[in-house]
Amino acid sequence: MNWKSNRKTITALLLFLAILVFYSFTYYQSQLFMYPSKMHSWAQADRLALALCFFDSGMNFFQPCTFSQVSQNGIVGVEFPIQSYLAAALGHVFGRDNISIIFRLEDVVITCIGLIFLFMACYRRTRSFVFSIVAPLFVFSSPVFIYYTCSYFPDTAGASMVFIAAYFILNFFEHKKTGDYSLAILFLTLGTLIKTSIGLYFIGFFAVAFFLTLKRSDSRDVRLKIKVFLFTLPGVIIFLANYFYIKYLNQAYDASLFWHQPYPFENLQDFGEYVDLALKPYLLKEYFLLPQVLFWCAIVGAAIPCLRKDQFGRSTLLLALVYMIGALSMFVLLGHAMSVHEYYFISIFIPFLGFTLLIAIIQLHKAILLSLEAKKSVNIALSVSTI
């Protein structure tokens, strides 16, 4: 039985991987070989420059630099440049001229890994291929997510870390194992280092996990509370160390290339201008199309009553609500920057939308199975009564 179950899982995984390869080939067969161009080509070039300068300047991870003539020796403070560094390292294998292709392909691979974990988080609980592809393919159909997946930006990679963490988050809510918690925190920490706005998901998960453990009072849960706090602390320390090191680099080398400041809306009129001048005319079309928005609302709306019926559903619903509050707060904090940096939407909102759709699909599948079992029991009872 286990062998048959494992074979079914492997078959489903390979089939989903084939879908991702097909989508990626369709989307990126020409974009993969381009140098920075089109949307935000300047910012894309800055990110590619990080990889090229790592390659040229001896692979010193702690002194990221670009070809900027403003800062000393081009050194800049930038969010954890692991993607740039990995692309530069692979450049030593495949050649400097191929670093741009490597960089783009690397982002596509990271994104696909995140989507695979999103698929497996659902498949592990539903054993349904059709139900399991809904959330990852919904994410992979967002125009802004599609475009920036094959680029040099850290946004889709950061979002993908949340999708990987989601697999372990659901395991933790089911089994309360510290191994699942630590792996979730590990990937959320990495995501926060790659893209600072992912920190809202790190904070949100820790807050909900700690709150849920506080509600229980036996000795085993006291140990779990301590472990939740202790496993979270290194992530916080690493992030703060990275944050202050970025500030140090910017101050020590007179660098200001990468933006690190909030730009909030000042009042409701300010926000209204953003809606009228940016959000309505073009940004909504770049985020999701209307049928996708209606689909998400219908599925999540239908699942909310189901999510409230058991502990797992209530825990995940609480986390989704905390994520929503965090995403909206981050949106207000960044404010005006959202109108000219549409890709910020990826790290702020898409993990929330993908995670919420994921838990909605799981609970709807559970509700459908329970309904079918109830009908089957009724039919059996009627059959027996007629004998």
Side-chain angles (χ1 to χ4, degrees), residues 193 234-248:
L193 292 173
V236 175
I237 293 172
I238 291 170
F239 170 74
L240 290 176
N242 183 65
Y243 172 78
F244 285 111
Y245 187 66
I246 290 172
K247 291 194 70 172
Y248 160 74

Side-chain angles (χ1 to χ4, degrees), residues 64-314:
C65 60
T66 68
F67 300 113
S68 171
Q69 302 299 306
V70 177
S71 60
Q72 299 176 32
N73 300 321
I75 294 174
V76 293
V78 62
E79 291 162 315
F80 198 64
I82 188 64
Q83 296 161 270
S84 306
Y85 194 81
L86 182 57
L90 291 173
H92 284 282
V93 178
F94 299 102
R96 187 182 189 277
D97 292 342
N98 293 315
I99 287 178
S100 175
I101 299 172
I102 293 167
F103 206 147
R104 287 184 183 272
L105 184 60
E106 173 188 295
D107 273 11
V108 174
V109 170
I110 292 171
T111 297
C112 287
I113 291 172
L115 295 175
I116 286 171
F117 272 88
L118 201 60
F119 169 84
M120 288 304 300
C122 187
Y123 190 81
R124 178 172 179 172
R125 290 157 182 85
T126 64
R127 312 301 294 176
S128 168
F129 180 82
V130 174
F131 277 77
S132 300
I133 64 175
V134 173
L137 292 189
F138 174 82
V139 170
F140 211 24
S141 63
S142 164
V144 70
F145 191 88
I146 292 169
Y147 179 78
Y148 287 107
T149 286
C150 189
S151 71
Y152 315 92
F153 288 124
D155 300 75
T156 56
S160 297
M161 295 301 111
V162 181
F163 296 146
I164 296 173
Y167 178 87
F168 300 104
I169 288 171
L170 297 190
N171 290 350
F172 174 75
F173 283 151
E174 283 185 331
H175 308 296
K176 297 296 187 293
K177 291 183 178 179
T178 53
D180 290 317
Y181 181 84
S182 59
L183 286 170
I185 286 294
L186 173 65
F187 286 106
L188 289 173
T189 300
L190 182 56
T192 304
L193 292 173
I194 291 172
K195 186 67 182 178
T196 304
S197 50
I198 295 296
L200 73 92
Y201 295 96
F202 179 100
I203 296 170
F205 174 55
F206 166 70
V208 170
F210 196 68
F211 171 75
L212 292 176
T213 58
L214 284 176
K215 290 177 66 178
R216 303 170 69 93
S217 57
D218 57 64
S219 60
R220 184 179 176 183
D221 286 308
V222 170
R223 292 195 297 269
L224 182 59
K225 294 182 186 73
I226 296 171
K227 289 179 179 179
V228 164
F229 180 78
L230 291 178
F231 286 144
T232 306
L233 190 59
V236 175
I237 293 172
I238 291 170
F239 170 74
L240 290 176
N242 183 65
Y243 172 78
F244 285 111
Y245 187 66
I246 290 172
K247 291 194 70 172
Y248 160 74
L249 288 177
N250 284 331
Q251 292 173 1
Y253 295 94
D254 298 321
S256 58
L257 183 61
F258 294 99
W259 181 71
H260 296 287
Q261 299 295 327
Y263 195 11
F265 299 113
E266 295 179 3
N267 49 51
L268 288 177
Q269 182 180 353
D270 215 14
F271 173 72
E273 290 179 358
Y274 160 77
V275 171
D276 292 336
L277 299 178
L279 192 63
K280 287 181 180 179
Y282 63 92
L283 287 183
L284 282 178
K285 298 174 184 177
E286 295 179 2
Y287 296 155
F288 285 101
L289 302 179
L290 181 60
Q292 295 169 301
V293 174
L294 295 176
F295 173 79
W296 186 90
C297 291
I299 296 296
V300 173
I304 288 176
C306 304
L307 286 163
R308 298 171 62 185
K309 290 182 178 180
D310 56 47
Q311 182 59 45
F312 175 79
R314 288 191 293 271

